[in-house]
């Protein structure tokens, strides 16, 4: 390698920055759900409740724009938040709203409504890129630039996270605030001398921002309390008190809706999860209500939705430190951040649904361990491949230099080729002398599932269950959020049906789903196609669109019995993800 490049590539920030920039580009150019931006590559289709977040984000930004400086007045803020839907805190939605406004100003896209979902999706793309950067930079600062680069790369190559980064939902912004809180707390509190008041206050601010994003942040207090007390005993009480107090103040100060009736609205917000309508889950071929899902559901889903190589690297990263965990508090917190959400959603009676969506915050910590395991492989390759000759001739390693035949004793003492040399020869890589090239090839292999399922990464399953096709045969949910009703399918539907036709859609999971899809899909509106919810009792109607959420979709045999015949379908890995029917 050119020595003039080494100082740059060895910088802690270089690899993570490149990974984050490439991730941002890959996501931003593949956002379009329904021909909102013709000429760009297609992205996932409109998801079931995506517009709720976009509408509220747009509302917050528009309100602030209209009020101007007056928006800083508490009375104005309270007035604005009286019209805000308080099912989620405002930070994540405001983030989407700001990116929506900026994107519309720079590259406007048209729909029938006041807001455009594809423009708000840019906010999730930036949040994911920043998460990749944070994971890589903070890992590199403690474990070296190789571990940092591989940790950032591992996170970017996790298909479920990559897929959610395309959606104007709260999951990706939640992942950013959660990851910043965990990494900053783990690294700063673990400095020599333990956590100071200033560090506790600073990380408390990050905790408050996580609370302002989504309710998953309530997992952090018990996790960090147990972690801090186990490492610093009574010395952790004061920092924990400061951390929790600052986080609570930031949470209340950042959500003016709470000011109106603090006790009542806090109770309403945290109690809403117990009063919501139950959702169905499809698990091992059975429809199950979300509160009755078996305890092992989150563990199994986590295991089967991360590329297998990354699982192996992460396991190696955990084993690499073994007994050092007690002396490395930051690693203990990282491992806890992976386990805690999985444990919570394993508790009987706790609702869990939509694949891995509710515990996506477990994935960034696992990516850090994958980076540590990858760095271990890099070190091994660097040591072993140092013995690989330039000529790529194995004989140069073990053959005697003399032309005379070696004695029997000399034969037994002749050194064998290193394991990496033998591996390189089998892979025809005997001329590759830099371990980074081999490691890059290994990690590139982990991206195959991401590529094969594009743009439906929410349907990704790893090779441990035979990919998407194997998971479907085992009875896993193939898709759950409507993202498979993408541009290519809608364009084909528009080509096949007369202008002005009515198309039924299933499954419909809430009363605003059809209207939202109608207003956000130019490909439908250009042809004056009208959507309506599917009703199995309705005898009239010629066309039907179905995304294959198996827990709620009409059964195939019932559709066939009613005269519906498949005209066109979306497949990945020989598995149907969405279909368009005509009644014969």
């Amino acid at each position: 390698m050119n020595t003039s490049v080494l100082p740059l590539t060895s910088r802690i920030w270089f690899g993570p920055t490149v990974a984050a920039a490439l991730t941002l580009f890959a996501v931003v150019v593949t956002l379009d759900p329904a021909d909102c931006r013709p000429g760009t590559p297609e992205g996932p289709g409109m998801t079931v409740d995506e517009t709720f977040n976009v509408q509220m984000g747009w509302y917050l930004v528009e309100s602030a724009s209209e009020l101007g400086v007056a928006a800083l007045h508490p009375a104005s803020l309270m007035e604005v938040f009286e019209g805000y839907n308080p099912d989620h805190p405002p930070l994540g939605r405001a983030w989407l709203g700001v990116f929506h406004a900026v994107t519309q100003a720079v590259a406007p896209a048209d729909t029938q409504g006041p807001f455009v979902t594809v423009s708000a999706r840019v906010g999730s793309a930036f949040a994911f890129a920043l998460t990749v950067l944070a994971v890589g930079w903070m890992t590199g600062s403690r474990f070296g630039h190789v571990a940092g680069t591989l940790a950032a790369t591992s996170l970017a190559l996790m298909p479920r996270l990559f897929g959610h980064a395309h959606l104007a939902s709260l999951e990706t912004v939640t992942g950013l605030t959660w990851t910043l809180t965990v990494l900053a707390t783990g690294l700063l509190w673990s400095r020599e001398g333990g956590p100071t008041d200033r560090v506790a206050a600073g990380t408390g601010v990050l905790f408050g921002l996580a609370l302002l994003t989504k309710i998953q942040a309530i997992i952090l207090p018990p996790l960090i309390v147990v972690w801090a007390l186990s490492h610093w005993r009574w010395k952790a009480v004061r920092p924990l008190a400061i951390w929790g107090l600052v986080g609570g103040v930031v949470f209340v100060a950042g959500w003016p809706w709470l000011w109106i009736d603090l006790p009542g609205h806090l109770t309403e917000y945290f109690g809403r999860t117990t009063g919501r309508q139950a959702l169905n889950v499809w698990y091992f071929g059975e429809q199950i209500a979300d509160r009755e899902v078996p305890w092992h559901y989150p563990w199994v889903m986590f295991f089967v939705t991360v590329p297998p190589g990354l699982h192996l690297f992460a396991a190696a990263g955990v084993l690499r430190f073994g007994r050092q965990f007690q002396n490395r508090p930051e690693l203990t917190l990282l491992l806890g951040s992976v386990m805690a959400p999985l444990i919570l959603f394993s508790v009987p009676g706790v609702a869990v649904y939509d694949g891995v969506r509710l515990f996506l915050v477990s994935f960034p910590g696992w990516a850090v361990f994958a980076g540590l395991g990858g760095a271990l492989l890099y070190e091994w390759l660097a040591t072993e491949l140092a013995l690989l000759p330039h000529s790529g001739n194995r004989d140069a390693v073990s053959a005697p230099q003399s032309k005379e035949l070696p004695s029997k004793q000399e034969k037994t003492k002749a050194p064998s080729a290193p394991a990496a040399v033998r591996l390189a020869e089998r892979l025809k890589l005997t001329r590759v002398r830099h371990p980074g090239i081999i490691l890059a090839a290994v990690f590139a292999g982990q991206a195959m599932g991401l590529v094969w399922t594009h743009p439906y990464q929410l349907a990704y399953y790893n090779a441990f269950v035979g990919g998407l096709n194997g998971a479907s045969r085992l009875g896993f949910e193939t898709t759950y959020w409507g993202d498979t009703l993408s541009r290519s399918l809608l364009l084909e539907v528009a080509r096949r049906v007369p202008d002005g036709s009515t198309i039924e859609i299933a499954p419909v999971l809430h009363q605003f789903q059809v209207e939202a899809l109608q207003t956000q899909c130019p490909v439908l509106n250009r042809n004056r196609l009208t959507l309506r919810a599917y009703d199995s009792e309705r005898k009239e109607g010629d066309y039907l669109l179905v995304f294959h959420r198996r827990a709620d979709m009409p059964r195939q045999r019932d559709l066939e019995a009613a005269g519906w015949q498949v005209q066109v379908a979306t497949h990945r890995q020989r598995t149907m993800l969405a279909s368009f029917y005509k009644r014969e």
Side-chain angles (χ1 to χ4, degrees):
M1 177 178 289
N2 190 338
T3 55
S4 64
V5 181
L6 283 175
L8 178 62
T9 57
S10 298
R11 303 284 177 87
I12 290 172
W13 55 266
F14 181 80
T17 301
V18 171
L22 292 175
T23 300
L24 179 64
F25 175 79
V27 176
V28 167
V29 299
T30 56
L31 293 178
D32 182 45
D35 219 25
C36 304
R37 298 190 183 279
T40 62
E42 73 170 336
M46 284 288 303
T47 57
V48 168
D49 51 6
E50 206 170 348
T51 54
F52 291 158
N53 300 310
V54 182
Q55 182 181 16
M56 287 295 99
W58 169 83
Y59 166 75
L60 291 175
V61 172
E62 286 295 307
S63 298
S65 177
E66 291 177 6
L67 290 172
V69 178
L72 300 176
H73 194 281
S76 298
L77 286 173
M78 292 174 69
E79 181 180 353
V80 168
F81 277 90
E82 284 180 347
Y84 175 82
N85 182 0
D87 57 337
H88 293 294
L91 181 60
R93 288 171 165 174
W95 176 282
L96 297 176
V98 168
F99 276 93
H100 173 273
V102 172
T103 305
Q104 281 294 96
V106 175
D110 294 327
T111 61
Q112 288 189 337
F115 54 86
V116 185
T117 299
V118 69
S119 295
R121 285 181 167 188
V122 177
S124 289
F126 270 87
F128 186 53
L130 289 174
T131 309
V132 170
L133 178 62
V135 164
W137 182 76
M138 292 188 179
T139 303
S141 68
R142 185 58 62 94
F143 300 102
H145 71 281
V146 173
T149 299
L150 295 179
T153 303
S154 297
L155 187 65
L157 294 182
M158 292 182 174
R160 294 292 182 114
L161 287 175
F162 186 83
H164 274 90
H166 289 73
L167 308 176
S169 62
L170 299 180
E171 276 66 32
T172 304
V173 186
T174 301
L176 173 61
T177 55
W178 167 286
T179 302
L180 289 175
T181 303
V182 169
L183 290 177
T185 303
L187 294 177
L188 297 179
W189 286 41
S190 300
R191 288 177 174 175
E192 186 176 355
T196 64
D197 292 352
R198 180 179 297 181
V199 166
T203 52
V205 171
L206 293 175
F207 168 52
L209 296 179
L211 285 172
L212 279 171
T213 309
K214 205 177 180 192
I215 199 169
Q216 274 89 335
I218 64 172
I219 305 173
L220 288 170
L223 168 63
I224 290 181
V225 166
V226 171
W227 167 74
L229 291 176
S230 67
H231 282 283
W232 293 283
R233 303 296 190 272
W234 291 108
K235 293 181 180 180
V237 173
R238 178 183 173 91
L240 283 172
I242 295 172
W243 179 84
L245 179 62
V246 171
V249 169
V250 171
F251 175 57
V252 174
W255 196 356
W257 176 71
L258 297 176
W259 307 350
I260 301 170
D261 178 13
L262 181 59
H265 283 175
L266 276 177
T267 302
E268 179 184 344
Y269 171 60
F270 288 109
R272 183 176 288 112
T273 56
T274 61
R276 45 170 293 281
Q277 180 182 356
L279 296 175
N280 294 321
V281 176
W282 190 259
Y283 188 53
F284 284 112
E286 182 181 358
Q287 184 191 66
I288 309 173
D290 54 14
R291 295 187 185 279
E292 300 173 5
V293 173
W295 67 267
H296 46 76
Y297 176 83
W299 302 90
V300 171
M301 291 301 298
F302 180 75
F303 179 70
V304 302
T305 56
V306 173
L310 298 186
H311 269 317
L312 296 177
F313 280 127
V318 173
L319 295 175
R320 175 183 187 180
F321 290 91
R323 298 178 182 178
Q324 298 182 36
F325 269 83
Q326 188 59 33
N327 301 322
R328 305 295 294 265
E330 69 278 11
L331 290 178
T332 310
L333 182 58
L334 271 173
L335 189 59
S337 73
V338 177
M339 306 290 285
L342 300 176
I343 292 172
L344 173 65
F345 289 107
S346 300
V347 175
V350 174
V352 57
Y353 49 86
D354 289 354
V356 299
R357 181 162 71 92
L358 298 186
F359 47 90
L360 279 175
V361 290
S362 292
F363 288 61
W366 202 233
V368 173
F369 285 108
L372 298 180
L376 184 63
L377 176 61
Y378 180 90
E379 294 168 7
W380 180 80
L381 287 171
T383 301
E384 294 285 302
L385 291 176
L387 302 175
L388 184 64
H390 286 280
S391 64
N393 184 1
R394 179 176 175 176
D395 293 338
V397 177
S398 56
Q401 298 299 316
S402 172
K403 294 183 180 180
E404 298 180 1
L405 292 175
S407 65
K408 183 176 181 180
Q409 183 178 9
E410 289 175 332
K411 285 182 180 181
T412 58
K413 293 182 179 181
S416 62
V421 175
R422 298 195 300 271
L423 175 63
E425 287 178 342
R426 293 193 185 100
L427 298 177
K428 307 301 182 183
L429 294 174
T430 51
R431 294 185 181 276
V432 177
R433 296 184 56 81
H434 198 282
I437 297 177
I438 298 178
L439 199 61
V442 172
F443 271 79
Q446 306 310 305
M448 292 300 99
L450 187 151
V451 174
W452 290 335
T453 55
H454 184 77
Y456 314 120
Q457 284 89 5
L458 301 193
Y460 169 82
Y461 289 91
N462 63 29
F464 291 145
V465 288
L468 174 58
N469 185 256
S472 177
R473 293 197 304 269
L474 288 172
F476 287 95
E477 186 66 271
T478 50
T479 182
Y480 61 84
W481 228 3
D483 57 296
T484 53
L485 298 180
S486 60
R487 181 175 73 186
S488 55
L489 177 62
L490 296 179
L491 286 171
E492 183 63 22
V493 169
R495 188 184 70 82
R496 288 171 176 262
V497 303
D499 288 2
S501 298
T502 296
I503 301 174
E504 299 186 64
I505 185 170
V508 173
L509 304 180
H510 64 78
Q511 58 183 330
F512 304 110
Q513 176 184 335
V514 174
E515 178 185 355
L517 188 60
Q518 182 80 61
T519 58
Q520 296 294 315
C521 293
V523 65
L524 299 175
N525 300 323
R526 284 198 302 265
N527 295 72
R528 297 181 293 109
L529 302 178
T530 303
L531 298 179
R532 70 180 178 188
Y534 171 70
D535 183 354
S536 60
E537 301 299 323
R538 186 186 295 121
K539 301 305 179 184
E540 72 275 7
D542 297 321
Y543 306 107
L544 172 63
L545 260 176
V546 177
F547 67 91
H548 286 224
R549 181 187 174 105
R550 300 168 73 180
D552 296 287
M553 65 176 286
R555 292 183 298 181
Q556 184 67 27
R557 62 174 178 268
D558 293 338
L559 292 175
E560 293 175 354
W564 294 104
Q565 299 293 324
V566 175
Q567 304 299 302
V568 62
T570 296
H571 293 83
R572 287 296 182 274
Q573 297 180 351
R574 306 186 308 281
T575 302
M576 190 180 295
L577 299 177
S579 49
F580 173 64
Y581 296 81
K582 182 178 179 181
R583 195 197 297 266
E584 298 295 343

